[in-house]
C-alpha cells in the first residue's frame, strides 16, 4: 500500500474538499502541495482538509499548510482542518498552528466556517 | 516457570542511504525499538519518532543536499536513565545553535514553509549534542 494517498473534490461555493490517508512527511508532502497549488492556479482558495486518516505528520507536511494559508487568506479564502488524530494535533500544537487554523470535528462544521 | 525479563540496556542500529524515501523505514525502526524496550510512555513515543524523522530529514536535505550517495547511521540506546539517539553521517557540518526559532506569523506572511524541523526537535527532546568526529563525521545525539 502507498505510504500516502490524497483525493480532492470540488464542492459548491468554490470550496475544495481534500482527503488524505497515510504518512505526510518530507517524502510525501509534495503531493499535497501540488494538489493545493493546482487549485490556487484555478483561483480556488477555500479548502476543507480531512486529516482523520493521516497517521503521521512532520514539519514538512505541516509546512505545506503554513505556506498555503497565507495565499488562501490573501484571496478571501481559508483552510479548515477536520479531525486530526492526537499525534497530528500534537505537531500542530507544538508549532503553534492550532491557534492559526480552524480545526473542527466534521465536514458540516467545516463548511459552515465559510459562511461566517 | 522462568519469566523472560527485558534487558537493562537496548542498543539497536539502522543504516539507511541518504534518501527521503526511507523515512517510513526509519520511523518503523524507532517504533520497534521503543516497543522492544517497553520503558517509554506512549505519549513520549510520538515525540521521539518525530524528532528522529526531523533530524534524519535535515541530514538528508541539508547535510547531503538530497544527494542519495550518503548514509545515515541511526543508533538508539535505551537504558534505565535515558533514551539516546545518535545519528552518524558524513554530510556537511552544521551548527544547530545558529538556527533561530521560526516566527510562524512571519512565515505565513512570507509564504515560507520550511525551517521547522530543528525547532520541533528542540521542543520535544531534553538535550541535543552535535559534534564533528575526525573532521568528517558529524554526530547528533538527542
Amino acid at each position: 500500500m502507498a505510504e500516502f494517498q490524497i483525493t480532492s473534490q470540488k464542492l459548491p461555493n468554490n470550496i475544495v474538499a481534500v482527503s488524505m490517508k497515510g504518512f505526510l512527511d518530507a517524502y510525501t508532502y509534495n503531493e499535497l502541495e501540488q494538489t493545493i497549488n493546482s487549485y490556487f492556479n484555478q483561483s480556488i482558495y477555500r479548502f476543507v482538509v480531512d486529516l482523520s486518516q493521516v497517521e503521521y505528520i512532520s514539519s514538512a507536511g505541516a509546512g505545506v499548510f503554513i505556506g498555503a494559508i497565507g495565499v488562501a487568506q490573501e484571496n478571501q479564502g481559508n483552510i479548515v482542518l477536520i479531525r486530526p488524530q492526537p499525534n497530528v494535533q500534537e505537531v500542530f500544537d507544538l508549532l503553534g498552528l492550532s491557534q492559526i487554523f480552524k480545526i473542527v470535528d466534521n465536514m458540516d462544521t467545516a463548511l459552515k466556517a465559510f459562511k461566517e | 516457570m522462568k519469566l523472560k525479563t527485558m534487558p537493562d540496556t537496548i542498543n539497536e542500529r539502522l543504516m539507511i542511504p541518504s534518501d527521503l524515501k526511507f523515512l517510513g523505514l526509519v520511523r518503523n525502526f524507532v517504533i520497534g525499538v521503543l516497543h522492544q524496550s517497553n520503558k517509554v510512555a506512549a505519549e513520549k513515543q510520538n515525540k521521539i519518532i518525530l524528532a528522529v524523522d526531523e533530524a534524519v530529514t535535515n541530514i538528508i536535505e541539508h547535510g547531503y543536499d538530497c544527494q542519495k550517495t550518503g548514509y545515515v547511521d541511526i543508533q538508539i540506546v535505551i537504558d534505565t536513565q535515558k533514551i539516546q539517539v545518535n545519528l552518524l553521517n558524513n554530510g556537511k557540518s552544521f551548527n544547530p545553535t545558529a538556527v533561530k526559532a521560526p516566527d510562524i506569523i512571519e512565515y505565513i506572511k512570507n509564504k515560507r514553509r520550511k525551517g521547522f524541523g530543528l525547532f520541533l526537535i528542540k521542543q520535544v527532546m531534553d538535550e541535543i549534542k552535535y559534534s564533528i568526529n575526525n573532521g568528517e563525521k558529524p554526530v547528533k545525539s538527542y
Side-chain angles (χ1 to χ4, degrees), chain A residues 29-78:
Chain A
Y29 78 90
N30 206 29
E31 289 182 58
L32 171 61
E33 190 168 64
Q34 285 177 358
T35 299
I36 290 178
N37 285 342
S38 73
Y39 287 108
F40 284 166
N41 291 337
Q42 299 170 58
S43 299
I44 294 173
Y45 300 100
R46 306 165 114 196
F47 297 87
V48 291
V49 181
D50 186 347
L51 293 174
S52 61
Q53 293 186 84
V54 174
E55 295 177 51
Y56 174 84
I57 192 168
S58 69
S59 68
V64 177
F65 295 115
I66 294 168
I69 194 169
V71 178
Q73 290 181 343
E74 278 177 9
N75 291 280
Q76 289 72 52
N78 207 348

Side-chain angles (χ1 to χ4, degrees), chain A:
Chain A
M1 193 187 81
E3 270 211 335
F4 181 71
Q5 293 170 300
I6 182 165
T7 57
S8 63
Q9 182 188 4
K10 280 188 193 175
L11 303 176
N13 301 318
N14 261 353
I15 297 172
V16 170
V18 178
S19 184
M20 293 175 283
K21 189 174 184 179
F23 300 83
L24 188 49
D25 63 13
Y27 183 60
T28 59
Y29 78 90
N30 206 29
E31 289 182 58
L32 171 61
E33 190 168 64
Q34 285 177 358
T35 299
I36 290 178
N37 285 342
S38 73
Y39 287 108
F40 284 166
N41 291 337
Q42 299 170 58
S43 299
I44 294 173
Y45 300 100
R46 306 165 114 196
F47 297 87
V48 291
V49 181
D50 186 347
L51 293 174
S52 61
Q53 293 186 84
V54 174
E55 295 177 51
Y56 174 84
I57 192 168
S58 69
S59 68
V64 177
F65 295 115
I66 294 168
I69 194 169
V71 178
Q73 290 181 343
E74 278 177 9
N75 291 280
Q76 289 72 52
N78 207 348
I79 299 172
V80 179
L81 307 176
I82 302 173
R83 230 154 40 97
Q85 294 188 21
N87 61 325
V88 173
Q89 175 77 53
E90 183 179 32
V91 174
F92 277 86
D93 292 344
L94 288 166
L95 289 170
L97 301 179
S98 304
Q99 286 80 44
I100 290 165
F101 286 85
K102 188 177 266 291
I103 300 174
V104 301
D105 283 339
N106 55 59
M107 179 62 86
D108 284 348
T109 313
L111 293 174
K112 280 178 189 162
F114 287 104
K115 293 177 183 168
E116 290 170 357

Side-chain angles (χ1 to χ4, degrees), chain B:
Chain B
M1 185 175 74
K2 191 174 180 181
L3 292 174
K4 192 179 176 184
T5 56
M6 288 296 181
D8 286 341
T9 301
I10 288 174
N11 190 338
E12 296 287 350
R13 188 171 186 175
L14 173 73
M15 191 178 287
I16 60 158
S18 54
D19 187 333
L20 294 170
K21 76 178 180 186
F22 293 106
L23 286 174
L25 181 69
V26 170
R27 291 193 298 270
N28 286 337
F29 166 69
V30 177
I31 291 167
V33 177
L34 295 176
H35 285 178
Q36 185 188 337
S37 84
N38 207 25
K39 290 174 184 165
V40 185
E43 66 268 19
K44 286 190 178 168
Q45 292 188 12
N46 187 53
K47 291 184 168 74
I48 296 165
I49 295 161
L50 180 67
V52 176
D53 177 309
E54 297 288 354
V56 172
T57 298
N58 278 352
I59 290 166
I60 294 172
E61 289 189 338
H62 304 298
Y64 291 114
D65 292 327
C66 291
Q67 297 297 309
K68 296 173 184 173
T69 51
Y71 70 90
V72 186
D73 181 358
I74 302 145
Q75 301 172 358
I76 303 179
V77 181
I78 304 177
D79 60 27
T80 54
Q81 304 296 317
K82 66 180 185 306
I83 301 162
Q84 181 170 324
V85 181
N86 300 321
L87 300 172
L88 283 71
N89 65 95
N90 62 357
K92 282 184 294 186
S93 58
F94 149 80
N95 179 6
T97 59
V99 179
K100 291 180 184 170
D103 179 335
I104 293 288
I105 301 299
E106 281 299 310
Y107 269 63
I108 289 171
K109 201 187 292 179
N110 297 318
K111 286 98 184 167
R112 285 184 65 186
R113 58 165 182 74
K114 289 212 159 198
F116 305 101
L118 187 59
F119 172 70
L120 278 180
I121 295 167
K122 287 178 176 174
Q123 294 248 72
V124 300
M125 300 302 268
D126 296 324
E127 189 180 11
I128 302 174
K129 289 182 183 171
Y130 183 88
S131 61
I132 299 174
N133 293 346
N134 302 323
E136 62 173 1
K137 189 179 280 185
V139 178
K140 291 179 179 179
S141 299
Y142 300 99

